Amino acid sequence: MEQILEQISLFVTSFIAVYSVYLILTVSLNIQRGFAGIPQFGLVFPAAGAAYIIGNLSTRIALWVLGIKTNLDPIYESSGVIALINPVLSSQPLLSIALFILCLVIGAVIGAVLGIIQVAPAIRLRIDYLAITLLAFGEIMNVIARAYRPLIGGEYGVQVPSVFGWAGKNTIVATTVAMLIVALIIYAYAEYLGRTPMGRTMKAIRDNEVAAAALGKSLVKYRAIAIVIGSAFCGISGVLWAFFNGSVMPGQFVRFNWTFLPWLMILLGGLGNNKGALVGATTFVALDRFITYYKHEFVGILPFDVIWLYQILLGAITALILIYRPQGVLPERPYIPKDVRERVKSSIASSS
C-alpha cells in the first residue's frame, strides 16, 4: 500500500511540475503567436538563457545573502558550495522563499532582455523572415552553455540551491505547488491582457497589419511588447525547471521540448485563446505522463516496441488536429468589451 501511494505521489508531482512549465510556455506562445501573430519558433532561447544565468548566479546570491565565506568555486565546485548553502536555507524558510522569488524576477528580466535581443535584428521584417530568424536563435544558447564553461561548467552543468528544503520529506510537493501557483498567476495575467486595449490591438495587428497601421498603430511597438512579455514568461519557466531539477545542464533545454511541443499544445487547444492553451497543455501533459510511466504495461499488446509509442501518438495527434480540428478544440471567439455590448443593446432597444 505504501509503495502504491508513493507511486501515485510521484506521478502527481511529476504531472504538476511538467504541467506548470508547459502551461507557462503555451501561454507565452499564445501571447506572441495567438495575440500578436509572431511566429515564435525560439521559445527555448529565453527559457534556457534565464535558466543558465540563474544557475550561474543563484549560488553566488545565496552565499552573499547568507554571509557564507568559502574558497570553493560556485561553478566548478558547485556540489561543495551547495553543501554549505542548503543546511542554512533549510532552517530559514522565509529567506529561502525570498531567494526563490528574487531568482524568478531575475529570470523574467533576463528572459525579456533575451527576447528583445532575439527579435531586434528582424522585428521590422516580414513574418516569414522573422520566423526564420527566431528558429535560428533557438540553438545558440545551448551552444554557448556547452562551449563557455564559466557559465555553468560546460556539459557537467551546475547545481542550484534547494529553496524548499525546509519542507523536509515534502520538498518535492512544496516545489511543485509553488510552480503551479506561479503558472496560474501567469495564466490569469494572460487572460487579463487579452481583454485590455493592448491585447485587442495586438489581435487587430495580427488580423490585418495594413488596417492597423492605417489607424496609427505601431506594428514594431506592439510586437516588441508581446515578445517582452512572452519571453519574460519563458525565462520564469526555465528558472522553475532549474529549481525543480536542482541543477542546470545544457541537455535539459532542447528545441523539441521547449519550442515544438508548446506549438503542438497550442494547436491542439486553439490559437488566440488562453483557455485553448490551458486545454492543450492539460491534455498533452496528461498523455505525456501516462505514456512515460505506464508504456511498459503495453509490452506484448502493441505490434511495435513501446519506446516508439510516444512518437507515434504525437504524430497521430498532430495529423488528426490538422485534418479535423485545424482551429483547435476551443477556437478563438471574438471578444466584445462590456461597455460596447451595453451600447449595442441600448441602441437596439431604442431603435425598436
Side-chain angles (χ1 to χ4, degrees), residues 200-215:
R200 296 199 295 274
T201 303
M202 289 179 185
K203 292 181 180 180
I205 292 173
R206 174 201 64 187
D207 294 338
N208 194 325
E209 291 182 0
V210 176
L215 292 172

Side-chain angles (χ1 to χ4, degrees), residues 183-333:
L184 293 178
I185 291 173
I186 287 175
Y187 175 80
Y189 173 76
E191 271 291 283
Y192 165 76
L193 178 65
R195 299 170 188 275
T196 61
M198 181 187 296
R200 296 199 295 274
T201 303
M202 289 179 185
K203 292 181 180 180
I205 292 173
R206 174 201 64 187
D207 294 338
N208 194 325
E209 291 182 0
V210 176
L215 292 172
K217 305 300 180 184
S218 170
L219 308 185
V220 173
K221 173 186 171 183
Y222 284 98
R223 281 180 181 173
I225 291 173
I227 286 287
V228 166
I229 296 173
S231 299
F233 291 166
C234 287
I236 291 175
S237 69
V239 175
L240 288 176
W241 194 242
F243 278 112
F244 177 71
N245 286 287
S247 63
V248 182
M249 291 182 286
Q252 291 174 328
F253 299 95
V254 295
R255 188 162 49 194
F256 177 78
N257 291 333
W258 291 80
T259 295
F260 293 153
L261 289 185
W263 269 93
L264 177 61
M265 294 177 205
I266 206 168
L267 289 174
L268 174 63
L271 268 172
N273 175 12
N274 287 312
K275 292 183 177 62
L278 183 71
V279 170
T282 306
T283 305
F284 180 86
V285 175
L287 183 63
D288 172 81
R289 291 296 90 187
F290 180 78
I291 294 173
T292 300
Y293 279 86
Y294 299 108
K295 62 184 177 186
H296 295 292
E297 302 295 330
F298 296 94
V299 174
I301 300 175
L302 298 175
F304 51 83
D305 195 322
V306 293
I307 63 172
W308 302 112
L309 181 61
Y310 187 80
Q311 287 80 358
I312 291 173
L313 280 178
L314 278 186
I317 291 172
T318 305
L320 290 173
I321 292 170
L322 294 177
I323 293 172
Y324 296 106
R325 297 289 294 185
Q327 294 180 331
V329 176
L330 293 177
E332 181 184 8
R333 293 182 178 179

Side-chain angles (χ1 to χ4, degrees), residues 54-201:
I54 285 299
N56 183 287
L57 295 179
S58 59
T59 49
R60 301 176 194 275
I61 295 173
L63 287 173
W64 176 69
V65 170
L66 299 176
I68 298 175
K69 304 294 184 183
T70 178
N71 292 324
L72 297 175
D73 189 287
I75 302 301
Y76 299 112
E77 299 169 295
S78 66
S79 298
V81 177
I82 290 296
L84 298 174
I85 293 173
N86 282 350
V88 182
L89 287 178
S90 62
S91 62
Q92 301 190 45
L94 292 180
L95 190 60
S96 299
I97 293 172
L99 177 62
F100 175 65
I101 295 173
L102 177 61
C103 288
L104 289 181
V105 173
I106 295 174
V109 173
I110 293 169
V113 171
L114 291 175
I116 288 296
I117 293 173
Q118 189 181 24
V119 301
I123 196 168
R124 297 178 185 277
L125 298 178
R126 284 171 40 188
I127 287 297
D128 44 0
Y129 294 111
L130 180 58
I132 294 171
T133 303
L134 294 172
L135 189 64
F137 262 94
E139 287 302 317
I140 290 178
M141 193 55 69
N142 282 329
V143 173
I144 294 173
R146 287 190 172 94
Y148 185 63
R149 292 198 66 207
L151 180 59
I152 57 168
E155 292 285 354
Y156 298 104
V158 65
Q159 295 187 40
V160 299
S162 175
V163 290
F164 293 97
W166 46 267
K169 64 179 182 180
N170 296 318
T171 297
I172 298 297
V173 175
T175 305
T176 53
V177 169
M179 293 171 72
L180 184 60
I181 291 172
V182 173
L184 293 178
I185 291 173
I186 287 175
Y187 175 80
Y189 173 76
E191 271 291 283
Y192 165 76
L193 178 65
R195 299 170 188 275
T196 61
M198 181 187 296
R200 296 199 295 274
T201 303

